Structure formats: structure tokens, C-alpha cells
């Protein structure tokens, strides 16, 4: 059996990665497994342990780093985020494509380990749109919003390191473009 693809969806906080990902997976016609990450950040209202993330303490996260359980990990605005390795490998071995939704530093680690991964950077139509999306989500304090917007400004130039850049202007259009990227990589 052919090994599944590794697909990275990245882009600044608030650009719409989670929303686009749900849209892509909605139809259920792609042979795609979403890799749930591990994080030390607090749970947002409506989130569930094991669905959005595995929510762990800093100590537990550190243990996972030391045990070599993470394919990659990074610190983002004061919290740690990482990709559990075993599940990614298991799914790919079973022929399933695996989707990682991760930030820029983690992407660089994955690309150095797996140069054939398909990398997609989602960009906002403008910085104003990014700010209004992150505010509209109402999940972060003003301080964290400012930190995430500052991080976005340093992440955006990194789009040149990605195989594909997709503008998240219209949700359906952006999701279709990403579906096409995945489908053509499958061929
Ligand atoms: P991320 O996962 O990149 O942090 P989210 O998926 O949480 O971003 O989206 C941030 C906010 O932007 C959400 O409120 C979402 O509904 C909104 N959003 C996502 N895509 C679009 C779009 N194409 N047009 C307008 N708003 C969008
Ligand atoms: P949030 O707190 O908004 O859920 O995520 C913050 C940032 O961390 C986002 O850019 C998100 O894509 C990224 N992220 C989520 N999971 C991982 C992961 O496993 N590894 C890395 N490097 N980044 C992640």
C-alpha cells in the first residue's frame, strides 16, 4: 500500500485555518486524517480534550519532548504546541493522508524531517481582515490579541518557504483551492 501524504496547513493565528480545515473535512470524501496536537494553552469555551487538542500541563509536555514523542513542537505566544508522532506514522502507514495544522517554526522542523510534505500557507486578504477575524472570534484577551498580531507580522514573510500560498478571502473558494492541492498531490 502506498504511504499517505503529509499535509501541513499553516498561517497566522485568526486567518481561518480551523474554519477552512473543517470545511475541507466536511464532505468526508478525502482520505484525510486530522492530527490532533498537544498544547499547554488553556481550553477555550466549547473545546474538548482530545478533539481540538490534547490539553496538558507544561510538565507533561516536557516529558513528551524528552521521550521523543513529538514529530515537532514549538512555543507560540507563551504556550507549547506539538504534534504527537506515533499517530501520524500509523495513519500514513495505513495509507491515510495526514493533515497537520501548525505554526511556522513547527512547519520548518517538519519540512526538514519530511521534505516531501505538502505545505500550504493560508494568508488573510489584509492585515485589517486578520485583526477583525481574531477579534471577532472573542477567544483571547486584548494582550494576547496584540501578541498574536505581532507574531503574524513576523510569520507572514515566511510564506515564501511554503509550497503553496492560499488566500482565505472567501471560505468556500479557499477550501476548494486546498482540496484541489490535496487531490492533485494524490494523483
Ligand atoms: P485560526 O484557526 O487560523 O486561528 P479560525 O478558524 O479560528 O482561525 O478563524 C478565525 C475567525 O475568522 C473565526 O471567527 C472564523 O469564523 C473567521 N473566518 C474564517 N475564515 C473566514 C473567511 N473566509 N471570511 C471571513 N471570516 C472567516
Ligand atoms: P491556537 O492557540 O490558536 O489554537 O493555536 C496557536 C498556533 O499554534 C496556531 O498557529 C496553530 O496552528 C499552532 N499549532 C497548533 N498545533 C500545533 C502543533 O502541534 N505544532 C505547532 N508547531 N504549532 C501548532
Amino acid at each position: 500500500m502506498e504511504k499517505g501524504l503529509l499535509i501541513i496547513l499553516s498561517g497566522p493565528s485568526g486567518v481561518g485555518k480551523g474554519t477552512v480545515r473543517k470545511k475541507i473535512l466536511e464532505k468526508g470524501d478525502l482520505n484525510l486524517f486530522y492530527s490532533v496536537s498537544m498544547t499547554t494553552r488553556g481550553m477555550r469555551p466549547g473545546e474538548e480534550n482530545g478533539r481540538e487538542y490534547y490539553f496538558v500541563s507544561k510538565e507533561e509536555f516536557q516529558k513528551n519532548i524528552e521521550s521523543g514523542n513529538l514529530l515537532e513542537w514549538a512555543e507560540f505566544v507563551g504556550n507549547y504546541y506539538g504534534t504527537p508522532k506515533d499517530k501520524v506514522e500509523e495513519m500514513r502507514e495505513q495509507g491515510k493522508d495526514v493533515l497537520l495544522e501548525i505554526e511556522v517554526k513547527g512547519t520548518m522542523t517538519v519540512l526538514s524531517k519530511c521534505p516531501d510534505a505538502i505545505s500550504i500557507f493560508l494568508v488573510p486578504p489584509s492585515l485589517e481582515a486578520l485583526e477583525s477575524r481574531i477579534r471577532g472570534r472573542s477567544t483571547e484577551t486584548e494582550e494576547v490579541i496584540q501578541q498574536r498580531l505581532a507574531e503574524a507580522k513576523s510569520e507572514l514573510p515566511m510564506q515564501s518557504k511554503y509550497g503553496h500560498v492560499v488566500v482565505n478571502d472567501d471560505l468556500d473558494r479557499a477550501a476548494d483551492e486546498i482540496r484541489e492541492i490535496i487531490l492533485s498531490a494524490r494523483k
Side-chain angles (χ1 to χ4, degrees):
M1 187 196 292
E2 209 176 319
K3 199 173 168 182
L5 304 167
L6 187 57
I7 300 153
I8 304 167
L9 179 60
S10 199
S13 174
V15 67
K17 298 180 296 295
T19 310
V20 167
R21 182 234 315 154
K22 282 181 200 130
K23 195 87 207 163
I24 293 166
L25 292 170
E26 209 169 61
K27 271 195 192 164
D29 58 336
L30 295 176
N31 180 33
L32 201 56
F33 169 81
Y34 173 60
S35 160
V36 177
S37 294
M38 190 176 285
T39 186
T40 61
R41 90 146 156 74
M43 223 187 265
R44 292 175 185 151
E47 288 186 329
E48 223 174 80
N49 192 26
R51 188 181 63 190
E52 278 78 14
Y53 285 105
Y54 296 105
F55 294 93
V56 298
S57 64
K58 283 207 166 137
E59 292 71 29
E60 208 174 322
F61 197 95
Q62 193 64 38
K63 274 190 208 152
N64 276 279
I65 296 175
E66 284 161 15
S67 312
N69 292 344
L70 301 177
L71 172 64
E72 61 71 38
W73 65 272
E75 186 178 355
F76 180 86
V77 189
N79 287 301
Y80 293 97
Y81 297 82
T83 304
K85 189 162 69 181
D86 287 358
K87 198 76 188 166
V88 171
E89 267 318 295
E90 182 191 324
M91 289 294 129
R92 290 186 73 197
E93 289 300 336
Q94 287 177 19
K96 272 200 172 273
D97 299 337
V98 173
L99 179 67
L100 310 182
E101 199 183 297
I102 61 176
E103 52 70 73
V104 169
K105 298 183 288 294
T107 303
M108 297 306 121
T109 306
V110 176
L111 288 177
S112 68
K113 290 183 180 177
C114 317
D116 55 348
I118 294 154
S119 57
I120 304 166
F121 192 92
L122 201 58
V123 289
S126 64
L127 276 176
E128 291 72 27
L130 181 69
E131 180 161 354
S132 95
R133 283 180 196 178
I134 209 168
R135 287 187 186 287
R137 196 170 62 187
S138 308
T139 49
E140 271 84 26
T141 60
E142 181 60 29
E143 188 190 5
V144 174
I145 289 173
Q146 292 302 338
Q147 289 169 335
R148 286 180 177 236
L149 288 172
E151 192 71 26
K153 285 178 190 150
S154 65
E155 288 179 322
L156 283 167
M158 294 297 283
Q159 61 186 268
S160 61
K161 308 276 183 201
Y162 286 70
H164 305 268
V165 176
V166 173
V167 183
N168 184 18
D169 40 14
D170 175 75
L171 176 61
D172 288 327
R173 195 210 60 74
D176 282 346
E177 190 176 338
I178 294 174
R179 288 173 62 84
E180 271 314 307
I181 293 169
I182 296 171
L183 288 169
S184 51
R186 260 265 150 203
K187 278 177 202 151

